[in-house]
Amino acid sequence: MRPLWLCWALWALPLAGPGAALTEERILDSLLQQLHLSEVPIVDKAAVEGLVIPAHVRAQYVALLQRGHGARSRGKRFSQNFREVVGRFLASEASSHLLVFDMEQRLPPHSELVQAVLRLFQEPVPRAALRRHERLFPRSDRARVTVQWLHARDDGSNRTALIDSRLVSIHESGWKALDVTEAVNFWQQLRSPRPPLLLQVSVQREHLGPLASSAHRLVRFAPQGPSGGQQGEPQLELHTLDLRDYGAQGNCDPKAPVTEGARCCRQEMYIDLQGMKWAENWVLEPPGFLAYECCIASETTSLPVIVSIQEGGQLQPQVVSLPNMRVQTCSCASDGALVPRKLEPTRASEDERP
């Protein structure tokens, strides 16, 4: 029997605004409203395990994800620090690569991650192979590159999270950049000592079907660069903000006392979606997200999610954007808004005393 709180009549409740505290109920409320549902659907686990997320759904999800990254880094280019981490190919097949990065002590203390960029070297395609492909598929010269974060759980199972997905041309070569900010955010939530960061890169057809091109077979990412040295090893660029020199969107010392005249702090808060029972088999991506919290959120961004829904008797993945899920900046007394204080019991006046 379903819990009664899952069957609330949610249409009578207004959507929480940017200043409201982010709770499990608020996330569920927002998701149900965006999908025009009154209760959480029952999704069969076996059906979800065989569900394939189409390329256009992955692309839509990643585009919304990267839009949020752009909002976080807007106006902060000149305050960013930069570090480069060289990784290695742990395993490689024809159209799949497993990359590993040693991340311990790579992110400086008292810093905030703004963006993480994965750079891979795409090998040039031999001219003979290009001419043969152009004869067979004259109108198709692209393949889709998808990056997933791979988490090896304690019970021996693996969990993947979609990080980036974009098209590349077989006529191009050189270094390709992919946004893996969310992967580093997920990695930071693991218990210490943290394992290395694992990224799974796959190259797939641009479109599915009997007439689909085989351009994906011509896209290769090499462990060696054009000069034959180690220049082609995968590289991870970490762009961070020093919170001591730059306020970083309202972050401040959580140990400092909060007063009416003090600036509101933006505290880190990670929401574990895969740990919420109602999200099981229904929310496909992401497994969680870095939300942050503060007394008064003055600027927020949306969170894209991929859910499984029933359409025409079949299970289909769908992208939904949930508003006001990530706190960007915090407001406070100095910005014209009062910091909430703990209410003290009022004393009875002389006339009200017995």
Side-chain angles (χ1 to χ4, degrees):
M1 181 176 180
R2 284 201 192 101
L4 292 177
W5 64 274
L6 291 181
C7 302
W8 285 340
L10 296 170
W11 309 119
L13 299 177
L15 185 63
L22 187 60
T23 62
E24 182 175 345
E25 289 80 7
R26 181 185 157 196
I27 299 172
L28 175 59
D29 181 10
S30 178
L31 186 53
L32 290 174
Q33 289 199 36
Q34 293 298 317
L35 291 171
H36 303 287
L37 298 175
S38 59
E39 61 180 6
V40 176
I42 298 177
V43 181
D44 182 63
K45 182 179 179 180
V48 172
E49 290 177 348
L51 186 64
V52 177
I53 301 178
H56 71 277
V57 175
R58 294 199 302 265
Q60 182 185 2
Y61 170 78
V62 168
L64 292 174
L65 205 61
Q66 293 174 351
R67 187 182 303 173
H69 297 166
R72 286 204 296 274
S73 61
R74 190 183 303 126
K76 301 177 177 63
R77 291 177 300 171
F78 303 109
S79 301
Q80 293 183 21
N81 298 319
F82 170 80
R83 286 192 176 186
E84 185 176 274
V85 181
V86 177
R88 58 189 176 90
F89 287 86
L90 188 62
S92 292
E93 296 179 355
S95 299
S96 180
H97 306 278
L98 183 60
L99 316 180
V100 59
F101 294 88
D102 183 7
M103 294 289 291
E104 282 299 333
Q105 300 182 346
R106 299 293 186 168
L107 291 169
H110 308 291
S111 67
E112 175 188 344
L113 179 69
V114 176
Q115 189 178 33
V117 179
L118 172 65
R119 295 193 179 275
L120 296 174
F121 185 82
Q122 181 181 347
E123 289 184 322
V125 180
R127 292 183 178 180
L130 273 179
R131 289 194 295 266
R132 184 166 56 253
H133 178 82
E134 290 172 350
R135 288 196 304 268
L136 297 174
F137 307 97
R139 297 182 179 179
S140 180
D141 61 354
R142 300 188 302 178
R144 180 165 295 278
V145 177
T146 299
V147 181
Q148 293 179 303
W149 174 62
L150 179 62
H151 176 212
R153 293 169 169 169
D154 295 336
D155 60 3
S157 63
N158 292 332
R159 173 65 163 95
T160 60
L162 177 60
I163 302 300
D164 197 354
S165 183
R166 61 186 65 194
L167 295 172
V168 297
S169 172
I170 60 176
H171 295 287
E172 298 176 355
S173 62
W175 291 99
K176 301 299 178 183
L178 300 113
D179 191 333
V180 293
T181 307
E182 290 299 309
V184 179
N185 284 337
F186 293 148
W187 175 85
Q188 287 182 290
Q189 306 308 315
L190 301 178
R191 294 192 304 268
S192 295
R194 301 183 184 95
L197 174 68
L198 295 176
L199 298 176
Q200 185 172 300
V201 179
S202 58
V203 184
Q204 303 155 332
R205 287 184 170 92
E206 179 182 4
H207 302 292
L208 298 178
L211 300 179
S213 163
S214 60
H216 65 291
R217 297 178 180 176
L218 301 180
V219 176
R220 299 292 181 91
F221 294 108
Q224 292 187 343
S227 60
Q230 295 299 316
Q231 298 93 332
E233 292 291 346
Q235 300 176 5
L236 187 63
E237 297 177 356
L238 302 174
H239 300 261
T240 61
L241 294 175
D242 191 329
L243 303 187
R244 295 167 297 185
D245 299 333
Y246 183 81
Q249 307 162 322
N251 288 349
C252 55
D253 186 1
K255 297 181 181 179
V258 178
T259 62
E260 288 191 20
R263 210 167 52 143
C264 296
C265 295
R266 192 188 75 154
Q267 305 287 353
E268 181 176 304
M269 179 177 66
Y270 181 78
I271 305 297
D272 183 15
L273 288 176
Q274 65 182 4
M276 299 179 182
K277 188 63 178 177
W278 56 263
E280 187 177 17
N281 302 328
W282 184 33
V283 178
L284 306 178
E285 298 285 351
F289 64 100
L290 204 55
Y292 295 99
E293 61 179 346
C294 58
C295 298
I296 302 174
S298 58
E299 182 182 358
T300 62
T301 59
S302 300
L303 172 75
V305 298
I306 301 180
V307 295
S308 54
I309 62 170
Q310 288 284 346
E311 282 189 358
Q314 292 185 341
L315 206 59
Q316 300 289 343
Q318 178 177 322
V319 178
V320 181
S321 183
L322 306 183
N324 304 323
M325 288 290 139
R326 297 180 191 256
V327 174
Q328 298 296 93
T329 58
C330 295
S331 182
C332 55
S334 62
D335 294 330
L338 293 177
V339 176
R341 293 180 296 173
K342 181 179 180 181
L343 296 178
E344 300 292 341
T346 58
R347 294 184 178 180
S349 63
E350 293 293 335
D351 297 336
E352 295 173 336
R353 291 177 181 175

